[in-house]
Amino acid sequence: MAAALYRDYIVDLKARIDDLHVNAERYQTYELTMELLAQKNLVSYSAKKGKGLTEGLSYRRDFATGQAVQMQQQGAYALFSGFFNLGQFLAFTGQGREQDAKQFAELLTDNWQYPTCAVHFVYRQKGQPKTMSTRMHFVGLNGEAEAAAYEQKAHRAGSMVQHRPFSSNLFWEWK
């Protein structure tokens, strides 16, 4: 059975994140955490607004040396924006997670060939009665042919989302 494709979802997600980035004042509350695994690095981006206070932090950790350095929010944001502009995406179910962070990263990225991005985004716009949230983990690919090739190498049965919309205790599409 073929894995579900997520290009349309990522286009919508990117538009929402871009809007938050440009128009943060339109949001009553938000919490955005993204982690990108690419080129033997973990880039983490977080932004939060609650009770009128905003905060954010970005850093990069090199898997080869273990060294972490703080990054400017704009620089980190640009890396995530580049990820979201790839041609196709598959999503992980969260099953079969490895205990060791380095092994898990190598498994997800197929030995650092493909970037992956975990996103947890919760927000409520001013004047809106409802909070929206998503928590997903994607692998970014250049197109559908590459997505099919990645899926054939899929790590374990059940590791890729097969049907949309997806929802589990660990990951969910918009709710």
Side-chain angles (χ1 to χ4, degrees):
M1 182 172 288
L5 300 176
Y6 273 86
R7 177 74 187 138
D8 62 321
Y9 188 87
I10 293 293
V11 168
D12 175 67
L13 176 63
K14 182 180 185 311
R16 292 179 197 220
I17 293 171
D18 286 347
D19 184 64
L20 172 70
H21 192 71
V22 173
N23 301 302
E25 72 283 349
R26 293 197 307 194
Y27 292 80
Q28 185 72 33
T29 61
Y30 60 82
E31 185 172 347
L32 173 61
T33 303
M34 301 185 289
E35 293 187 334
L36 178 68
L37 287 170
Q39 299 175 353
K40 297 188 181 182
N41 285 276
L42 168 71
V43 177
S44 182
Y45 176 100
S46 66
K48 183 177 182 178
K49 178 182 180 183
K51 298 182 182 179
L53 300 173
T54 60
E55 59 185 75
L57 176 67
S58 293
Y59 67 89
R60 179 185 61 81
R61 182 169 57 109
D62 185 315
F63 269 90
T65 66
Q67 187 169 353
V69 295
Q70 192 167 345
M71 296 178 68
Q72 293 292 322
Q73 288 283 93
Q74 287 294 110
Y77 183 77
L79 294 173
F80 287 96
S81 188
F83 174 84
F84 293 138
N85 285 326
L86 290 171
Q88 192 53 268
F89 302 86
L90 300 175
F92 298 105
T93 63
Q95 295 178 10
R97 294 170 39 154
E98 300 296 317
Q99 298 299 319
D100 176 75
K102 186 176 179 185
Q103 282 181 328
F104 186 55
E106 289 172 354
L107 183 70
L108 291 177
T109 61
D110 193 17
N111 291 316
W112 302 105
Q113 269 189 287
Y114 305 103
T116 72
C117 183
V119 178
H120 184 207
F121 188 20
V122 180
Y123 71 89
R124 184 167 68 89
Q125 289 184 327
K126 290 181 180 176
Q128 297 297 315
K130 186 176 169 183
T131 298
M132 300 291 294
S133 73
T134 187
R135 184 174 180 175
M136 296 291 290
H137 193 163
F138 304 98
V139 59
L141 305 142
N142 288 317
E144 290 187 28
E146 200 169 78
Y150 182 90
E151 183 185 6
Q152 282 185 342
K153 294 181 189 178
H155 323 294
R156 293 187 188 119
S159 66
M160 306 304 298
V161 172
Q162 303 291 312
H163 301 286
R164 291 185 55 196
F166 181 75
S167 183
S168 73
N169 291 337
L170 184 60
F171 296 128
W172 60 89
E173 292 185 34
W174 291 110
K175 63 177 181 179

